[in-house]
């Protein structure tokens, strides 16, 4: 049963990832990303990380990809781009190197730690223990990292607002 | 790992624990079928109910030909829709165009599965019932993430509307869907924050647990969280549903029909069903969160008991009565409130609902911490109110500054 869930979810993840890379239409690519995120959520549920699964769907599928789609629709880039034009020449070779390197590192890591994985029964838990443990961790041991992340987000938002708001003087310069 | 790890994965419903036997399986299947049928019949009823009530409020008769009181009107409309020609616009993105109605329809149905529809919760019982020797709940599933599943599904429903508008390959649907996604994302924040107040008070995510946490009228979260989260949730929920006065998504005078303009026949019927279905499930969610779900009304030790009904059925009756109140309220909103302008909609969402929900949540959390740590409750409330007041003043200052800058034309909006 567990194997079946694993295979199905992995198939979802891989199919979605393939869709992201291979589809010519940005909206289809975004939908492929949603499929991948769902597959990962299923994996989380199979590992009894229910809260992570829910957050995965709510935040990533529900907010972030919706914003992607929003931008795609507003900017009207929902058609295939001409990929012959290359603004940054090093981009493609670099992408190949980094891609192959990442696969190598992940594969090596998996092979190294496979034998040391903890064996045995998972923790028996009631429905809310997931969220309790996460909260206790986030708000005690890792509270500074947590707060710094929120500061980072605020800085990003404030920076965006400042950069997109043009002063009147510069606007008149644009017009002249 | 073997099949024995399955129950923990699937649900906290007691029926799914232990070995997989035939009786539990059949009960679960029966529940699925019943919920599906009840959902469809409920939607039919809701369409008729809305038309009849709106007609009454506008001094009209409303549907009165098909069946007694015109109650079969929806069935007739549905059959008519199913036999219409199914058009596929030439400019449409065919695959996404076909997918979108299901993305709207399926989440609307799935929300039903986590709402406690009945069960005996009176006198501190935990709402489980015994059917054919199996202990179970009168709800399809009680997953550990409970109410978060509702948030996840409502964020999936955004895709249905958004993709429907985009894939139609036409301007009005696209405008409608861009409006819809902006509106639904904006109000989801307020919805989540007012929900957090309930979770803080209930101490659990499970929907059945939330109902168990509200045995008497004073414990109902509408009272226990101080009414403000309830109002915010109700407003945000109406906006999430795209119902009047927040129906800018399909403002007929501006957008023809919004995201579903290019849809016809059964695909349109699916959107239509999903919309009314969502109204019912959202009422169910509000009742579960704030009004004690299937709990009977009881003040102190006296319980308002419906005579001659066994406990489990009484729970269902209470649930239906409470849901009906909200269904009526939604129709009432539609019949009386004028539609908001788009900037009013965004101002209400971002500048009123979210700050108020956040401030109220802070206050509730502070009181909770104060109770746990045995602090003087008056001091806790005083300090929290002072912090909130400072935050409010800063907020007003920021708003003044930005609107002042805009008036003087120093920045472009």
């Amino acid at each position: 049963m567990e194997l079946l869930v694993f295979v199905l979810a992995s198939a979802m993840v891989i199919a979605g990832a393939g869709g992201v890379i291979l589809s010519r239409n940005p909206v289809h690519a975004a939908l492929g990303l949603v499929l991948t995120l769902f597959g990962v959520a299923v994996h989380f549920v199979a590992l009894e990380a229910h809260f992570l699964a829910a957050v995965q769907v709510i935040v990533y599928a529900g907010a972030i990809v919706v914003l992607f789609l929003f931008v795609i629709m507003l900017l009207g880039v929902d058609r295939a781009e001409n990929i012959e034009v290359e603004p940054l020449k090093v981009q493609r070779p670099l992408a190949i190197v980094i891609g192959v390197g990442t696969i190598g590192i992940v594969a090596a890591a998996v092979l190294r730690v496979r034998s040391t994985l903890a064996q045995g029964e998972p923790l028996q838990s009631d429905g809310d223990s997931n969220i309790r443990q996460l909260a206790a961790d986030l708000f005690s041991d890792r509270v500074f990292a947590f707060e710094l992340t929120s500061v980072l987000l605020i800085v990003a938002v404030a920076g965006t607002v400042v950069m997109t708001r043009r002063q009147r003087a510069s606007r008149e310069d644009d017009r002249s | 790992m073997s099949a024995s790890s399955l129950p923990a994965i699937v649900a906290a419903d007691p029926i799914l624990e232990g070995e997989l036997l035939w009786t539990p399986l059949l009960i679960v299947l029966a529940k699925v079928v019943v919920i599906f049928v009840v959902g469809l019949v409920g939607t039919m009823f809701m369409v008729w109910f809305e038309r009849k009530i709106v007609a009454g409020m506008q001094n009209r008769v409303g549907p009165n030909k098909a069946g007694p009181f015109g109650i079969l009107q929806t069935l007739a409309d549905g059959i008519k829709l199913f036999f219409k020609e199914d058009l596929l616009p030439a400019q449409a993105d065919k695959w996404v165009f076909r997918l979108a109605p299901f993305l709207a329809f399926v989440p609307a149905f799935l929300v039903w599965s986590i709402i406690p529809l009945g069960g005996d919760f009176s006198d501190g019982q935990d709402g489980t019932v015994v059917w054919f020797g199996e202990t179970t709940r009168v709800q399809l599933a009680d997953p550990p993430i409970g109410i978060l599943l509702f948030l996840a599904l409502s964020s999936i429903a955004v895709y249905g509307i958004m993709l429907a508008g985009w894939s139609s390959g036409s301007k009005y649907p696209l405008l409608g869907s861009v409006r819809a996604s902006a509106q639904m994302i904006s109000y989801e924040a307020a919805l989540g924050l007012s929900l957090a107040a309930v979770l803080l008070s209930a101490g659990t995510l499970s929907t059945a647990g939330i109902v168990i946490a509200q045995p008497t009228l004073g414990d109902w979260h509408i009272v226990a969280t101080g009414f403000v989260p309830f109002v915010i949730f109700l407003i945000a929920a109406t906006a999430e549903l795209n119902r009047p006065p927040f129906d800018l998504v399909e403002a007929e005078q501006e957008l023809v029909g919004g995201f579903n303009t290019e849809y016809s026949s059964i695909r349109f019927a699916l959107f239509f069903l999903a919309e009314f279905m969502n109204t019912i499930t959202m009422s169910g969610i509000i009742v579960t969160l704030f009004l004690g779900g299937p709990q009977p009304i009881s003040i102190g030790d006296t319980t308002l008991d419906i005579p001659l009904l066994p406990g489990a059925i009484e729970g269902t009756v209470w649930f239906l009565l409470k849901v009906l109140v909200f269904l009526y309220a939604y129709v009432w909103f539609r019949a009386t409130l004028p539609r908001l302008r788009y900037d009013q909609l965004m101002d209400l969402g971002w500048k009123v609902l979210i700050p108020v929900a956040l401030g109220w949540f802070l206050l509730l959390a502070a009181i909770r911490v104060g109770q746990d740590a045995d602090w003087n409750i008056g001091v806790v409330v005083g300090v929290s109110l002072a912090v909130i007041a400072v935050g409010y003043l800063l907020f007003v200052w920021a708003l003044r500054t930005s609107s002042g800058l805009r008036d003087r034309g120093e920045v472009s909006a």
Side-chain angles (χ1 to χ4, degrees):
Chain A
M1 187 67 198
E2 187 139 302
L3 185 72
L4 186 71
V5 172
F6 180 81
V7 168
L8 281 178
S10 304
M12 271 169 80
V13 172
I14 294 171
V20 173
I21 309 171
L22 297 176
S23 45
R24 298 194 152 261
N25 190 321
V27 173
H28 291 175
L31 288 182
L33 186 58
V34 176
L35 189 64
T36 306
L37 296 171
F38 268 116
V40 176
V42 174
H43 277 311
F44 278 141
V45 173
L47 292 170
E48 303 215 11
H50 301 280
F51 183 71
L52 278 184
V55 169
Q56 172 93 359
V57 173
I58 295 171
V59 174
Y60 282 94
I64 293 183
V65 181
V66 167
L67 284 182
F68 285 1
L69 280 175
F70 203 60
V71 171
I72 292 171
M73 286 177 187
L74 274 186
L75 297 185
V77 288
D78 49 345
R79 62 194 86 85
E81 285 222 8
N82 183 7
I83 49 172
E84 299 297 313
V85 188
E86 186 73 272
L88 282 171
K89 290 275 185 248
V90 283
Q91 183 155 247
R92 266 177 223 197
L94 204 62
I96 293 173
V97 172
I98 292 177
V100 172
T102 313
I103 292 176
I105 290 172
V106 171
V110 169
L111 288 178
R112 272 298 286 282
V113 299
R114 210 164 66 150
S115 55
T116 61
L117 278 181
Q119 298 288 329
E121 286 295 299
L123 281 170
Q124 285 303 314
S125 56
D126 64 327
D128 292 315
S129 64
N130 236 302
I131 189 168
R132 283 212 185 88
Q133 280 176 14
L134 266 176
D137 236 27
L138 267 186
F139 292 107
S140 59
D141 295 348
R142 294 175 175 78
V143 70
F144 280 112
F146 182 71
E147 296 292 341
L148 282 177
T149 316
S150 60
V151 170
L152 182 72
L153 288 175
I154 294 281
V155 169
V157 172
T160 319
V161 171
V162 169
M163 282 163 77
T164 47
R165 284 210 144 179
R166 282 179 296 176
Q167 296 293 320
R168 194 188 198 185
S170 63
R171 235 171 73 192
E172 273 164 6
D173 289 346
D174 290 347
R175 276 184 202 150
S176 59
Chain B
M1 295 259 181
S2 60
S4 66
S5 63
L6 174 70
I9 293 177
V10 180
D13 193 335
I15 199 171
L16 292 171
E17 271 156 32
E19 283 199 47
L20 209 55
L21 293 172
W22 274 110
T23 346
L25 193 67
L26 284 178
I27 291 181
V28 171
L29 279 179
K31 279 206 260 185
V32 172
V33 172
V34 166
I35 281 182
F36 193 76
V37 170
V38 167
L40 280 178
V41 173
T43 311
M44 264 181 62
F45 163 78
M46 179 63 199
V47 176
W48 169 81
F49 183 69
E50 172 148 13
R51 291 179 66 174
K52 209 66 182 171
I53 300 286
V54 167
M57 288 183 179
Q58 296 170 345
N59 271 335
R60 295 184 286 115
V61 180
N64 66 344
K65 295 288 183 231
F69 308 107
I71 200 162
L72 294 178
Q73 184 64 42
T74 322
L75 194 65
D77 287 345
I79 293 171
K80 189 191 84 170
L81 266 177
F82 277 56
F83 283 105
K84 289 268 180 186
E85 187 188 353
D86 184 22
L87 291 168
L88 193 72
Q91 290 289 310
D93 185 314
K94 290 174 188 56
W95 194 75
V96 180
F97 189 79
R98 292 200 180 103
L99 177 72
F102 295 100
L103 282 180
F105 181 69
V106 173
F109 254 104
L110 285 182
V111 177
W112 263 118
S113 62
I114 58 160
I115 302 177
L117 299 170
D120 192 1
F121 286 93
S122 56
D123 305 329
Q125 284 160 317
D126 61 353
T128 49
V129 289
V130 178
W131 285 339
F132 304 105
E134 301 285 339
T135 311
T136 184
R137 290 189 186 285
V138 194
Q139 82 188 75
L140 181 54
D142 185 22
I145 50 170
I147 204 71
L148 288 183
L149 190 71
F150 154 71
L151 283 183
L153 289 171
S154 75
S155 58
I156 299 306
V158 180
Y159 280 100
I161 290 178
M162 199 167 182
L163 292 173
W166 173 79
S167 64
S168 297
S170 138
K171 285 193 184 62
Y172 288 127
L174 183 65
L175 279 174
S177 70
V178 167
R179 278 184 181 188
S181 35
Q183 175 178 334
M184 288 169 96
I185 294 172
S186 307
Y187 279 80
E188 218 157 67
L191 197 77
L193 282 171
S194 51
L195 192 84
V198 172
L199 296 182
L200 188 74
S201 159
T204 176
L205 288 176
S206 139
T207 41
I210 291 174
V211 172
I212 292 171
Q214 330 179 48
T216 61
L217 197 61
D219 296 323
W220 284 12
H221 290 137
I222 184 173
V223 181
T225 60
F227 202 62
V228 174
F230 169 73
V231 174
I232 293 172
F233 194 91
L234 188 63
I235 297 175
T238 316
E240 280 286 297
L241 293 171
N242 298 324
R243 281 187 63 88
F246 302 105
D247 60 337
L248 290 107
V249 174
E250 40 198 294
E252 292 88 351
Q253 296 88 336
E254 303 160 25
L255 293 175
V256 187
F259 64 93
N260 55 21
T261 304
E262 300 288 348
Y263 279 86
S264 58
S265 180
I266 184 166
R267 293 189 221 282
F268 175 78
L270 284 181
F271 277 121
F272 194 73
L273 266 179
E275 213 179 306
F276 281 88
M277 186 88 208
N278 274 328
T279 313
I280 302 177
T281 48
M282 193 63 99
S283 306
I285 290 283
I286 295 176
V287 167
T288 306
L289 287 179
F290 291 98
L291 295 174
Q295 298 264 22
I297 297 174
S298 59
I299 304 159
D301 287 335
T302 37
T303 304
L304 201 61
D305 209 20
I306 305 174
L308 297 176
L309 280 179
I313 296 178
E314 195 186 324
T316 309
V317 172
W318 278 118
F319 179 78
L320 285 178
L321 283 177
K322 291 172 188 173
V323 165
L324 264 180
V325 171
F326 282 96
L327 293 183
Y328 186 82
Y330 276 126
V331 179
W332 199 0
F333 288 166
R334 176 183 154 181
T336 43
L337 294 173
R339 185 184 300 135
L340 271 78
R341 227 168 45 216
Y342 200 73
D343 60 322
Q344 291 171 333
L345 175 89
M346 284 296 157
D347 280 359
L348 178 68
W350 288 102
K351 296 180 188 166
V352 179
L353 291 186
I354 294 179
V356 172
L358 200 59
W360 197 261
F361 181 64
L362 277 179
L363 184 66
L364 288 178
I367 292 175
R368 185 65 183 265
V369 171
Q371 277 172 347
D372 284 356
D374 223 9
W375 293 336
N376 186 339
I377 212 72
V379 177
V380 170
V381 172
V383 171
S384 314
L385 285 180
V387 171
I388 291 172
V390 170
Y392 176 75
L393 285 177
L394 281 173
F395 180 64
V396 170
W397 189 26
L399 284 183
R400 283 254 175 89
T401 314
S402 77
S403 66
L405 282 176
R406 206 175 302 130
D407 287 346
R408 278 180 276 128
E410 283 178 24
V411 287
S412 58

